[in-house]
Amino acid sequence: MWNKIGRIVTILSERLNISSEHALDLFYTSKVCELLHDPESLLYTFSDYYIADDVLREMHSA
C-alpha cells in the first residue's frame, strides 16, 4: 500500500506544484485516505490517478 500512496502523493505534488511533504499532509488528512485504508471500500483497486483526482475533488468541494 505504501507504494500506492507514494505514487498518489507524487501525482498530487506535481498537479498542485507543491512539495511532497505538503502533498502527503493533504492526502493523509483527506477522507479519500480513510477510504483507501478501508478494505470494504475497494478504493485500493482503482488507479493512482483516479484516487488523486478524488483527493482534488474533495479539496475543491470543501
Side-chain angles (χ1 to χ4, degrees), residues 49-60:
Y49 286 95
Y50 180 91
I51 296 169
D53 286 343
D54 267 358
V55 174
L56 294 172
R57 277 190 292 275
E58 180 182 328
M59 287 174 51
H60 288 115

Side-chain angles (χ1 to χ4, degrees), residues 8-35:
I8 294 165
V9 167
T10 299
I11 294 166
L12 291 172
S13 175
E14 291 171 354
R15 287 191 178 172
L16 296 171
N17 197 28
I18 59 176
S19 71
S20 296
E21 291 81 10
H22 189 195
L24 186 65
D25 184 53
L26 287 174
F27 176 73
Y28 272 113
T29 58
S30 71
K31 292 184 185 212
V32 174
C33 180
E34 288 179 40
L35 287 173

